[in-house]
Amino acid sequence: MLKNINVGSLISNYPRLLIFITFTFVASILHYKFGIKIVRDSGRYFSYAADLKNGFYFDSRNFWYIGYVAVIYVTSWISDSSAALVLVQHLISFVSVICLFQTSILVFNSQKGALISSLIYIFYGEILMWNNYILPEAIYSSFTIFSIFRLVKPNQSHFGVILSILIIGYTSLIKPTGIALILALFVICFVKLQKLGSLRWVLLVFFFLSFLALGNQMVTSFTMVQNFLTGELVYSVASYPHLPGFDWMMVTIPNNLFIPEKSYSPFFEILIFSVSNPLFSLKLFFGKLIYFVLHLRPYWSLWHNAFVICTLYPLYYFSCMAYKKNIRHPLWKIWVFTYLIAHCLFIGLYTASWDGRFLMPIYPLITLLAGSYLATHSLPKWSLFNSGLRKK
């Protein structure tokens, strides 16, 4: 009887079942390997969530992670155990993979490409690994997928539009770099609303002032100029001078650095610092960006770095080719480009993470594009961000 089973037919007819099986298999192995990881930053999320039970208050640092804190807060009403929170992260992650599958079908009209994207996302273990950590990365990556799915979903009702705005707004508050979603959305809206004429320039000014105010408050919370003065390219390495490759992760601090007065607003403080110390600032910015994009660390094992080179770099190539060949609608191209560039700019200004987790939010987009290219080299002509999706 088993001989009569057509595996290809099963995969074709039940792709979501295959996704469920592979997700459960990989997630179980990773959970067995890592267990539940409570790390240094976990405590402040737990603490903020616990304090919110006594009433809402603004925490200047943790507020920019309130989307993740909200997950802890809601889960804690059911169970205070870390295991419950990790289970919730796994469940949300699985739903997000199904959404990634559906998003690929909407964008590229290829079940094969959708399945490839989903399997890449699952089997690239570094992504699902974060479901075991009490950190925002897992929820952030999952809701990034939900946000992209809402953006490409055609023929949305008024309720659907409101739901999309809520999901994207929520995602932007899971981590500070979530603001890249808002920025990319505004750019395509600005391009789309050409018929508004001069009114859209009024909207541009309003958005810019709002973005400046929000960014100024966010920068205040993270003491950016003080971070620059450490000379670190990778977060917190200055405290560990005996790490392998320590000198490669630091920029020598000049003796004649100009440090602006603290009377300036944070944005202007950063601007004045950067203009007054251009060479040092550029070294910091591009050094952080290189570590972020290459996703390599001198203190990681040779096997780990080799794994990144052999897996991530081909995905970069496939996603670039998909961006060039498989995406036809200009608004979709603009959104992808803006989101990726904005995310990179924020990391270049702030810092590259020591464990590479800041790269996680762009993985969904990379796997979405790479899967479509691997499935086919044809050029599907599909329109996005309009009233519907039609083959031309």
Side-chain angles (χ1 to χ4, degrees), residues 8 17 31 75 94 138 155 238 266 269 273 279 299 302 313 341 361 371 387:
L17 177 60
H31 184 70
T75 304
F94 169 70
N155 301 321
E269 189 180 355
F273 179 89
L279 184 59
Y299 48 82
L302 179 63
Y313 293 4
I341 292 299
S387 58

Side-chain angles (χ1 to χ4, degrees), residues 257-322:
L257 272 184
F258 176 81
I259 302 174
E261 299 178 5
K262 292 187 178 297
S263 57
Y264 295 104
S265 68
F267 259 162
F268 281 107
E269 189 180 355
I270 292 172
L271 181 62
I272 293 170
F273 179 89
S274 300
V275 171
S276 303
N277 310 286
L279 184 59
F280 178 68
S281 298
L282 287 173
K283 285 181 178 179
L284 282 177
F285 179 85
F286 285 107
K288 294 172 184 177
L289 197 58
I290 287 170
Y291 272 109
F292 171 68
V293 174
L294 293 185
H295 199 54
L296 301 174
R297 301 291 184 271
Y299 48 82
W300 287 352
S301 68
L302 179 63
W303 184 92
H304 190 162
N305 284 322
F307 173 78
V308 170
I309 293 171
C310 295
T311 55
L312 180 61
Y313 293 4
L315 291 180
Y316 278 159
Y317 172 77
F318 297 140
S319 59
C320 287
M321 294 303 294

Side-chain angles (χ1 to χ4, degrees), residues 71 88 103 241 262 295 340 363:
V71 174
V88 167
T103 301
K262 292 187 178 297
H295 199 54
L340 293 177
Y363 270 124

Side-chain angles (χ1 to χ4, degrees), residues 163-181:
L163 179 62
S164 298
I165 293 171
L166 290 175
I167 289 175
I168 293 169
Y170 170 78
T171 306
S172 70
L173 287 173
I174 296 176
K175 286 200 70 174
T177 51
I179 201 170
L181 273 171

Side-chain angles (χ1 to χ4, degrees), residues 4-155:
N4 297 325
I5 295 177
N6 188 318
V7 177
S9 178
L10 279 175
I11 293 174
S12 177
N13 294 325
Y14 304 101
R16 293 167 188 81
L17 177 60
L18 177 62
I19 291 172
F20 171 76
I21 293 171
T22 53
F23 181 93
T24 304
F25 174 73
V26 174
S28 298
I29 291 176
L30 292 172
H31 184 70
Y32 176 79
K33 177 178 174 59
F34 293 100
I36 298 172
K37 291 288 187 181
I38 299 177
V39 294
R40 184 174 62 179
D41 283 346
S42 304
R44 61 192 182 94
Y45 305 134
F46 279 129
S47 178
Y48 192 25
D51 290 345
L52 288 177
K53 289 185 177 181
N54 299 319
F56 178 82
Y57 73 98
F58 177 81
D59 183 322
S60 62
R61 175 84 187 272
N62 292 318
F63 180 80
W64 309 112
Y65 301 86
I66 198 166
Y68 183 59
V69 172
V71 174
I72 298 175
Y73 177 84
V74 172
T75 304
S76 69
W77 285 104
I78 303 171
S79 172
D80 284 325
S81 75
S82 300
L85 179 58
V86 167
L87 177 60
V88 167
Q89 292 182 170
H90 277 288
L91 292 174
I92 293 175
S93 181
F94 169 70
V95 176
S96 75
V97 178
I98 297 298
C99 271
L100 180 68
F101 177 83
Q102 291 299 127
T103 301
S104 182
I105 290 178
L106 284 174
V107 176
F108 299 109
N109 192 33
S110 169
Q111 181 168 286
K112 181 181 178 182
L115 188 57
I116 292 173
S117 293
S118 302
L119 294 179
I120 290 174
Y121 190 85
I122 292 171
F123 280 110
Y124 196 87
E126 193 173 348
I127 303 174
L128 297 192
M129 174 188 76
W130 294 105
N131 288 324
N132 301 291
Y133 282 71
I134 310 300
L135 288 170
E137 267 59 40
I139 296 295
Y140 188 21
S141 299
S142 296
F143 271 86
T144 297
I145 295 174
F146 297 150
S147 296
I148 297 173
F149 174 69
R150 296 306 308 180
L151 280 171
V152 303
K153 191 171 176 61
N155 301 321

